């Protein structure tokens, strides 16, 4: 290298600062980089590592780990509050915010805190991953993202890569910061946060340091009625089949409980016209259809799911797009000099998130005597004798008077680590005990009701399905409310890990270094449902039955070794291997080879090849049978049965039965990467990396749309009644098929560009995905989700984040952009294919260093108030757009201040 300080080819400004400070003191400090257990002076390795510094986090105005990860160009289809809100009890793992590198799945992305694991989100479900709400974001010093498989060092789950959140290690003094932000359109999604950090003890002088960071954040909810873009999407006009047939006033489902069509035929014979124009033709009717139903929520939409004789409910008119939440975290760390080159350290991380997820009012299919239906009490149906089943009508209605369904999700994660490190007989060593727990409490807060009381209320006429209920009805709604915890889950992880590294010999290019280590880990998951839920008493909740509680645990053991051989000053070879064994699921060997070649001071070439694996989660193996709901999808059998049937006639939310599988084996992967880093001059850094990943023995369930799209092969998974209508669809976990994904990562960093008017900087990180495809089963053709919404999401072909920095004196400014390319929308049977527009957000922030102690900042996220583009995706309950990557808040302005006492 021409100039060793700063390094000619740097991975991170933070690492440069550490290296240069050490050189200035004539003591070269060795540091550990994510992806290697060998400490080294320089940060460059054979693996691509992207670093986000604390300064960059502050400039972006983000205050949570989830917000930060959503901006990574290498991430896709992350789990966010946007995907959770509106589900109520419809979907599992509500409240989980999780990372998903490469779009390979949450379970294939390993999230670490200071290089060690955190307990996965406790609620059972398809995604096994760390809840980003558990990461103490205010304590983060930097984030290292290893954009390559790392099972050879970290074991299971690291197929897609590793995200390592690194906190402050020591701190003295007191630092106070606060942020307040509001949406400029108003009406919700405002944020308030405050952070207090403090520490005492100078390690070099006093032999110890103790520090703590406390952070509290609050956000307000955002209702769809407060956002103009929801109205502009014209969901009733463009997606009438994705709305609901349960509105207010309620739809009457003729012959719902009868084997034939006597009720409908009798009304047709009498010439009954529900819409005031045509004699009824279908089985869904609504007397209010003739007068337009009950706008703006319940509409007369002939093409809607309510049909030409009924009403359709537009739930997107009154649903929350962004939840109300309160999040708090406390991170503490202490280090103590034990003498003799040894150090004791201890960490405690406590995090709690309380989030209110609010959906639509509850719905019910109530049985009522015809005498309680004003529009039909004088028809021939009322002529049948009392007790005749033909007098009983099924009314599908929305319980607006009971309030919005609201779930209170409280999740907490505690993590305690203690250990020692130092030098022993020439070996750098470290060991630690790690105890981490995740607890999730799912509580019915409003709108969940005692089902039998509600059914009895409609049967007795106390509750009204067509107009306002009287005082007795309102009192019944309040009496029927079920509030309190309905689900509880606890996940525990205890581990003992150790590692050691040492330079064994001197080679031409430097030290031949060896690292080895191991880990013993115990994982445990417990799940409990309330008695009311076990007995299926709660309207709006799906029960897993009386045997739903479970508690399972397993032991994991692992050992690894790594070697680094700088053969010459230009060429370094690296190799690593890890063997890890999971109780029940078996073991796996994960080797890796890496190469770094520096032909000139300006150029670095790197490559790696390896294998990885992912063990099935405890939920995958043991979770009890779970009833769920599909997206609104079309039954092709219904379409083929009658040429007059429309997509709307055959669309519904189908019941799903989700099965675990105790015989699952681990997923296996093969990875390859190769890249180049070019630094033609100081402050100019360019990199390109190619990556290729193949997974096999995928742990997956077939998507409902896949099953319905290939009934010839998967028809036995669909259960139908005697009339051929779908009763339920089986979703069974199994090892099936392969997944292949590849692409290019691009990076540009221009720093310290000094001009006569100030100093400039430019950063860009982009990901071009070349291939992303998956088999639905062994031997099946590959199906691509590259630029196509398939099953539960899309992997956009191009994603980037870019920023321009400008500094002059005490002032600094940052303009940044996140961009996701356009893609093919979800294919819907009976509808023409279409494109979803690209999504580009611009953000602007400015800071003033008023004094050495005080820094003021102001910023605007989504500067141009970009609305989410229209999408006809049917996976998420929120219709009209894809909530997994878009921001419904609109323009968001904030101010913050930070004051330090030294």
């Amino acid at each position: 290298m021409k100039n060793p300080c700063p390094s000619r080819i740097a991975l991170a400004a933070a690492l440069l600062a550490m290296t240069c400070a050490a050189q200035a003191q004539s003591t070269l400090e060795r540091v550990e980089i994510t992806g290697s257990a060998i400490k080294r002076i320089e940060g460059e390795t054979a693996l691509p590592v992207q670093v986000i510094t604390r300064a960059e986090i502050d400039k972006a105005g983000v205050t949570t780990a989830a917000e930060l990860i959503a901006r990574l160009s290498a991430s896709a289809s992350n789990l966010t509050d946007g995907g959770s809100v509106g589900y109520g009890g419809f979907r599992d793992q509500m409240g989980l915010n999780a990372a998903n590198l490469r779009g390979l799945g949450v379970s294939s992305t390993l999230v670490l805190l200071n290089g060690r694991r955190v307990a996965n989100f406790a609620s059972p479900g398809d995604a096994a991953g760390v809840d980003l709400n558990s990461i103490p974001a205010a304590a983060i010093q930097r984030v290292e993202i290893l954009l390559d498989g790392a099972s050879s060092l970290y074991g299971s789950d690291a197929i897609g890569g590793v995200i390592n959140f690194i906190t402050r290690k020591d701190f003295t003094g007191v630092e106070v910061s606060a942020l307040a932000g509001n949406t400029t359109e108003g009406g919700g999604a405002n944020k308030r946060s405050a952070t207090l950090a403090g520490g005492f003890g100078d390690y070099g002088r006093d032999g110890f340091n103790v520090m703590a960071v406390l952070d509290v954040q609050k956000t307000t909810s955002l209702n769809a009625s407060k956002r103009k873009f929801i109205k502009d999407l014209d969901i009733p006009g463009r997606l009438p089949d994705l709305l609901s047939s349960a509105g207010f006033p309620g739809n009457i489902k003729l012959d719902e409980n009868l084997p034939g069509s006597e009720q409908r035929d009798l009304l047709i014979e009498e010439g009954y016209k529900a819409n005031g124009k045509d004699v009824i033709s279908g089985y869904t009717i609504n007397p209010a259809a003739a007068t337009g139903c009950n706008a703006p929520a319940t509409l007369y939409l002939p093409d809607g799911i309510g049909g030409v004789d009924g009403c359709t409910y537009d739930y997107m008119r009154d649903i929350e797009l962004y939840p109300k939440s309160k999040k708090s975290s406390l991170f503490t760390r202490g280090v103590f000099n034990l003498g003799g080159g040894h150090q004791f350290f201890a960490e405690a991380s406590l995090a709690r998130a309380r989030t209110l997820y609010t959906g639509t009012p509850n719905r019910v299919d109530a049985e009522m005597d015809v005498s309680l239906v004003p529009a039909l009490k004088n028809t021939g149906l009322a002529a049948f004798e009392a007790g005749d089943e033909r007098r009983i009508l099924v009314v599908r209605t929305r319980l607006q008077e009971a309030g919005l369904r609201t779930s209170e999700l409280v999740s907490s994660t505690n993590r305690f680590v203690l250990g020692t490190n130092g030098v022993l007989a020439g070996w750098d060593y470290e060991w630690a005990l790690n105890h981490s727990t995740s607890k999730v409490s799912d509580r019915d807060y409003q709108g969940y009701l005692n089902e039998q009381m509600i059914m009895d209320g409609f049967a007795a006429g106390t509750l009204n399905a067509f107009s306002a209920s009287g005082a007795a009805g309102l009192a019944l709604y309040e009496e029927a409310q079920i509030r309190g915890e309905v689900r509880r889950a606890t996940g525990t992880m205890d581990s003992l890990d150790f590692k050691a590294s040492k330079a064994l010999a001197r080679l031409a290019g430097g030290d031949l270094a060896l690292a080895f280590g191991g880990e013993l880990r115990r994982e445990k998951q417990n799940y409990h449902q309330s008695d009311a839920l076990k007995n299926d008493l709660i309207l709006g909740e799906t029960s897993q039955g009386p045997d739903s509680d479970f508690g399972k645990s397993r032991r994991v053991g692992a050992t690894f070794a790594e070697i680094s051989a700088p053969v010459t000053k230009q060429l370094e070879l690296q190799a690593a291997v890890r063997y890890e064994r999971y109780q029940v699921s078996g073991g796996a060997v994960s080797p890796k080879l890496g190469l770094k070649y520096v032909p000139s001071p300006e150029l670095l070439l790197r490559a790696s090849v390896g294998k990885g694996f992912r063990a099935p989660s405890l939920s995958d193996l043991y979770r009890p049978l779970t009833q769920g709901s599909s997206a609104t999808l079309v039954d092709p059998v219904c379409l083929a049965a009658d040429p007059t049937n429309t997509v709307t006639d055959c669309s519904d939310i189908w019941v799903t039965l989700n099965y675990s599988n105790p015989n699952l084996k681990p997923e296996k992967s093969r990875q390859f990467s190769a890249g180049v880093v070019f630094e033609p001059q100081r402050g100019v850094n360019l990199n390109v990396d190619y990556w290729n990943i193949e997974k096999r023995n995928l742990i997956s369930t077939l998507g409902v749309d896949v099953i319905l799209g290939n009934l010839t092969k998967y028809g036995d998974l669909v259960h139908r009644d005697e009339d051929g209508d779908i009763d339920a669809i089986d979703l069974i976990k199994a090892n099936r098929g392969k997944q292949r994904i590849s692409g290019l990562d691009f990076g540009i960093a221009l720093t310290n560009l000094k001009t006569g008017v100030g100093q400039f900087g430019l950063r860009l990180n982009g990901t071009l995905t070349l291939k992303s495809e998956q088999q639905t089963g062994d031997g099946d053709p590959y199906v691509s989700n590259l630029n196509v919404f398939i099953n539960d999401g899309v992997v956009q072909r191009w994603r980037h984040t870019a920023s321009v920095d400008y500094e002059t004196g005490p002032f600094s400014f940052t303009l940044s952009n996140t961009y996701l390319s356009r893609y093919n929308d979800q294919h819907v049977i009976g509808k023409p294919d279409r494109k979803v527009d690209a999504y580009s957000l611009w953000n602007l922030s400015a800071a003033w260093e008023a004094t050495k102690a005080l820094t003021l900042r102001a910023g605007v996220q989504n500067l141009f108030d970009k609305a989410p583009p229209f999408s006809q995706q049917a996976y998420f309950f929120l219709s009209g757009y894809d909530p997994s990557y878009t921001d419904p808040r609109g323009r968001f302005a904030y101010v913050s201040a930070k004051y330090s006492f030294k």
Side-chain angles (χ1 to χ4, degrees), residues 93 122-126 525 550 617-623 660-661:
Q93 298 183 299
S123 291
D126 291 334
Q525 185 177 31
F550 78 95
S617 69
L618 292 172
S619 291
D620 294 334
L621 295 168
Y622 303 119
R623 184 188 186 190
S660 59
N661 184 350

Side-chain angles (χ1 to χ4, degrees), residues 829-851:
I829 296 174
K831 292 185 179 181
D833 291 337
R834 62 176 306 277
K835 298 277 190 181
V836 177
D837 291 339
Y839 189 58
S840 178
L841 297 182
W842 290 90
N843 310 298
L844 178 65
S845 70
W848 174 38
E849 191 175 329
T851 67

Side-chain angles (χ1 to χ4, degrees), residues 10-16 49-57 59 71 73 679 683-687 746-753 759-766 798 800-807 814-818 842:
L11 285 175
L15 298 175
L16 279 174
V49 178
Q50 180 181 338
V51 178
I52 302 174
T53 65
R54 181 74 238 178
E56 293 172 310
I57 297 172
K59 290 175 182 177
R71 293 170 178 248
S73 63
E679 192 171 16
V684 179
N685 189 288
L686 312 172
N687 68 272
F746 297 87
I748 300 174
L750 308 179
T751 58
N752 301 320
L753 302 179
Q759 182 171 291
F760 289 86
L762 169 68
R763 291 184 181 273
L764 181 143
N765 287 291
W798 173 255
H800 78 236
T801 60
S803 64
V804 176
D805 296 322
Y806 171 65
E807 296 181 12
T814 298
L815 177 67
S816 65
N817 172 253
T818 59
W842 290 90

Side-chain angles (χ1 to χ4, degrees), residues 133 214-217 326-330 350-354:
N133 291 314
L214 173 66
D215 181 60
V216 178
Q217 302 185 32
K326 180 178 179 179
K327 300 175 182 179
S328 56
S329 68
L330 172 66
L350 313 176
R352 185 179 188 271
R354 176 183 178 269

Side-chain angles (χ1 to χ4, degrees), residues 39 203 207 336-345 419-431:
K39 292 185 176 183
Y203 185 82
F336 303 89
N337 190 346
L338 299 177
H342 305 285
Q343 179 186 86
F344 172 81
F345 63 90
T420 67
N421 58 34
V423 179
L424 186 64
W427 289 83
D428 283 315
Y429 78 93
E430 180 170 306
W431 70 269

Side-chain angles (χ1 to χ4, degrees), residues 14 51-58 62-69 111-114 132-145 163-169 175 195 197 211-215 217 329 331 349 898:
V51 178
I52 302 174
T53 65
R54 181 74 238 178
E56 293 172 310
I57 297 172
D58 291 339
V62 299
T63 60
T64 68
E67 290 175 319
L68 179 64
I69 296 306
V111 173
L112 304 175
L113 179 61
N114 288 332
L132 294 176
N133 291 314
S134 69
I135 302 298
I140 294 171
Q141 186 66 29
R142 69 182 187 276
V143 186
E144 294 180 355
I145 303 100
I163 302 175
N164 188 8
F165 293 93
I166 300 172
T167 63
R168 296 174 176 178
K169 292 296 191 295
E175 184 177 281
T195 301
M211 53 86 67
V213 181
L214 173 66
D215 181 60
Q217 302 185 32
S329 68
F331 178 82
S349 178
K898 180 172 67 175

Side-chain angles (χ1 to χ4, degrees), residues 543-558:
S543 174
Q544 293 169 232
D547 300 321
S548 56
D549 287 8
F550 78 95
K552 295 291 184 178
S553 65
R554 64 181 174 189
R555 295 185 298 273
V556 184

